[in-house]
Amino acid sequence: MEWMMELLKSPPGLSNLSTFLILTLPVLSIVLGFVTYAILAERKVLGYMQLRYGPNRTGGRFGLLQTVADVLKLLIKEDTRPKEADRPLFILAPVIAFVPSFMVLAVIPYTESVMFANIGVGLLYFIAISGLTTVGMLTAGWASNNKYALMGGMRSAAQMISYEIPLLMALVGVVLFAGSLNLVEIVEQQQYIPYILLQPIGFIIFFIAATAELNRTPFDLPEAESELIAGYHVEYSGFRFAFFMLAEYVYLFAMSALITVLYLGGWNPIIGLGFIPDLVWFGIKFSILVFVFMWVRATLPRIRPDQLMEFGWKVLLPVAMLNIFLSAILKEIFF
Amino acid sequence: MNGEFIAFLILSFTAILGGILMLNLKKVVHMLLSVVLTFVSLAGIYVLLSAEFVAVVQILIYSGAVTIILAFGIMLTKHTARDERTSNRLRAALVGVGVLVFFFTVYGAIDNLFFGPGAEGLHVENTQQIGERIFAHYVIPFELVSIVLLVALMGAIVLARKEGEENK
């Protein structure tokens, strides 16, 4: 997509603005397609891991249209709003939660040619923008005027800021080796050795912190059904609820893609298997990660809030610092 | 009028709008969100000035961390707090005059200001340059800042401890 790089450098104007708007449509449709089938896959994987079938009625034997039917149901549902809710914020909150999740997709390089914005600080951009979603969740929790929702919102905020620190610390190792914050350069540096081999500790820390950032089991305290009903989105229904769900799965997409880029070598093939196209390699690595996220969800129980905080601050953070130290030594000696 | 100028107009408008909303809204949480609007618009202006690193850090620290700490502060105290204001005609008029005087003073001062030709190549590897500058030329100030922050952190712990003991 050379023409796209040129387009990014061209002077802004109405025609360019509309080109960019049109270019986002295929991304949006790919992401929506991913979300539709990720939800189905998640239910299927969870089902088989719990010795049941999962959805198998709507859309053939494999329930292929189950999510489509669910989304249709959500869209035609009555849009309820609590009487005492803060009206403007209640409407604004799903928007604040969803928009950053879509914005982060812009910097992810899928292959050498399929990428949208190749910016110098791509890695930090991803982390910074994804932090904005917390504000949306907090707003949703507060605006609903519901104790459970408020507690869910607060928990999500506390969890996100606690786990963002080990997440960033784990990234320092990768940045040390790559010598750049640019995601494309990070991938190019991994042509022979993916960073998962050089940074095994960093990878594990990053994966755990990413699970916490995604609010997935075992860290799904903000929406713990048994104690908080559904957390910050308990008062939401219809398409507003759909937006929260969508944001969650778009983040699953973005986070898996980011881990692929950072630790699994992005589009780089395993040496000797270069005849398989780049995009397929990316897809394979990405799908394995998505599956692992589902696997973890099916396997581990939810942890308590105090365990969550203790684990984040007393275990992950010191280990992440140790990882930086080890990476620096490794880099000094061998590279 | 080029695109950069339009973007600057929009961003500065939203930044000022956020500030005005923050002063005029009644609920504390609404004020918080309008501050976020200002922070994000400022980050946009940094991008226009080809300082992506500063822009991203602005979002990471201000819109992310600072906002959430403020939100915790609000919710741990009186989260339904409302601002009650009394209006005073005379005071409003005086403030208005003050604002006008200030505007014309500043306008007069910057009207004919000339900064020289704009720096070139600002966008070339600026993150790397920031890193090199900080760790090569400004190491001691950088370390001093970290000590100041550490002192603040310890001070906060000491203050919080004292309060807890008094409660017992």
Side-chain angles (χ1 to χ4, degrees):
Chain A
M1 289 196 178
E2 281 295 312
W3 58 275
M4 196 151 175
M5 290 293 126
E6 273 164 35
L7 196 66
L8 282 174
K9 286 171 192 155
S10 62
L14 260 188
S15 63
N16 278 351
L17 182 71
S18 45
T19 322
F20 282 128
L21 284 181
I22 291 166
L23 274 174
T24 53
L25 286 180
V27 190
L28 187 64
S29 44
I30 290 172
V31 167
L32 288 181
F34 166 80
V35 170
T36 312
Y37 284 96
I39 292 176
L40 179 70
E42 177 138 46
R43 292 175 66 177
K44 277 293 201 189
V45 170
L46 288 182
Y48 280 115
M49 286 193 181
Q50 295 162 358
L51 300 183
R52 54 191 176 82
Y53 289 112
N56 63 351
R57 298 292 161 92
T58 322
R61 258 185 69 206
F62 301 106
L64 289 177
L65 290 176
Q66 181 66 47
T67 322
V68 180
D70 285 345
V71 170
L72 186 69
K73 179 210 129 193
L74 276 179
L75 289 183
I76 57 179
K77 207 172 167 181
E78 186 193 353
D79 178 34
T80 56
R81 188 167 53 79
K83 198 174 149 209
E84 294 291 311
D86 191 311
R87 193 185 146 82
L89 291 194
F90 191 79
I91 294 170
L92 201 60
V95 181
I96 304 178
F98 173 69
V99 169
S101 75
F102 193 58
M103 275 171 77
V104 297
L105 295 180
V107 288
I108 291 173
Y110 303 98
T111 74
E112 234 161 335
S113 49
V114 184
M115 65 178 90
F116 291 89
N118 183 4
I119 62 175
V121 287
L123 185 54
L124 273 182
Y125 169 90
F126 186 105
I127 305 292
I129 299 289
S130 66
L132 283 180
T133 297
T134 321
V135 178
M137 291 174 179
L138 206 60
T139 314
W142 188 81
S144 304
N145 206 354
N146 174 321
K147 277 180 186 150
Y148 289 119
L150 185 62
M151 281 172 72
M154 296 283 280
R155 272 191 186 182
S156 116
Q159 181 175 328
M160 285 237 181
I161 49 172
S162 314
Y163 279 78
E164 207 161 76
I165 298 166
L167 191 84
L168 275 170
M169 292 278 189
L171 288 179
V172 173
V174 171
V175 175
L176 265 179
F177 275 102
S180 170
L181 289 169
N182 184 325
L183 291 172
V184 180
E185 272 181 44
I186 290 177
V187 174
E188 278 165 1
Q189 292 281 330
Q190 300 179 66
Q191 206 172 357
Y192 302 110
I193 316 169
Y195 284 149
I196 187 172
L197 299 177
L198 291 175
Q199 292 275 324
I201 308 173
F203 173 74
I204 294 167
I205 297 166
F206 191 88
F207 191 83
I208 295 172
T211 319
E213 291 278 297
L214 290 170
N215 286 338
R216 292 175 65 83
T217 320
F219 303 104
D220 62 341
L221 299 155
E223 35 194 279
E225 299 90 349
S226 49
E227 35 184 308
L228 288 180
I229 316 178
Y232 58 88
H233 53 53
V234 58
E235 295 288 3
Y236 282 86
S237 72
F239 67 97
R240 294 194 216 286
F241 173 74
F243 262 86
F244 281 115
M245 278 304 268
L246 190 63
E248 207 167 286
Y249 278 89
V250 173
Y251 268 123
L252 178 66
F253 179 94
M255 203 48 111
S256 306
L258 185 71
I259 298 178
T260 311
V261 165
L262 290 179
Y263 288 101
L264 303 184
W267 63 80
N268 284 319
I270 294 173
I271 293 167
L273 292 174
F275 58 89
I276 301 173
D278 288 350
L279 200 58
V280 176
W281 274 112
F282 189 92
I284 292 171
K285 293 170 180 174
F286 169 82
S287 314
I288 292 174
L289 273 172
V290 173
F291 174 74
V292 173
F293 273 121
M294 290 169 183
W295 184 11
V296 168
R297 175 171 174 175
T299 314
L300 295 173
R302 180 182 300 136
I303 61 175
R304 282 202 318 264
D306 59 318
Q307 289 172 333
L308 174 92
M309 286 299 156
E310 251 174 45
F311 183 66
W313 290 101
K314 292 187 184 165
V315 180
L316 275 191
L317 189 59
V319 175
M321 285 184 174
L322 186 74
N323 179 52
I324 296 177
F325 195 63
L326 288 178
S327 315
I329 293 175
L330 198 68
K331 164 116 182 161
E332 274 303 307
I333 296 175
F334 295 107
F335 292 90
Chain B
M1 200 150 108
N2 56 1
E4 203 172 318
F5 185 66
I6 298 172
F8 175 75
L9 276 186
I10 294 172
L11 287 169
S12 49
F13 175 75
T14 47
I16 294 170
L17 181 75
I20 292 173
L21 281 178
M22 194 230 142
L23 291 175
N24 283 305
L25 286 174
K26 292 228 167 67
K27 287 184 185 163
V28 192
V29 177
H30 292 189
M31 293 178 190
L32 185 74
L33 283 178
S34 40
V35 175
V36 175
L37 180 68
T38 306
F39 288 153
V40 174
S41 326
L42 285 182
I45 290 177
Y46 289 139
V47 172
L48 280 186
L49 297 171
S50 48
E52 306 105 57
F53 185 75
V54 183
V56 167
V57 170
Q58 161 92 9
I59 291 183
L60 193 66
I61 305 292
Y62 282 91
S63 317
V66 170
T67 311
I68 286 176
I69 288 172
L70 286 176
F72 267 90
I74 292 166
M75 288 178 189
L76 291 177
T77 50
K78 238 168 66 181
H79 66 267
T80 47
R82 280 168 159 275
D83 220 9
E84 299 299 335
R85 286 203 187 87
T86 50
S87 60
N88 184 338
R89 286 273 172 86
L90 181 68
R91 200 169 67 185
L94 281 178
V95 169
V97 171
V99 167
L100 282 179
V101 170
F102 181 74
F103 173 75
F104 282 111
T105 323
V106 173
Y107 184 78
I110 64 171
D111 191 23
N112 283 321
L113 200 62
F114 181 64
F115 283 112
E120 279 182 23
L122 277 176
H123 55 277
V124 182
E125 293 195 326
N126 45 20
T127 313
Q128 198 179 345
Q129 284 182 22
I130 289 173
E132 276 168 10
R133 277 292 159 86
I134 285 182
F135 291 107
H137 296 266
Y138 299 104
V139 182
I140 293 173
F142 181 72
E143 292 295 328
L144 274 181
V145 168
S146 68
I147 290 174
V148 170
L149 286 176
L150 187 68
V151 169
L153 195 73
M154 284 161 67
I157 292 173
V158 169
L159 286 177
R161 267 281 165 80
K162 253 185 199 159
E163 227 163 69
E165 275 164 18
E166 272 167 26
N167 283 346
K168 276 174 195 170

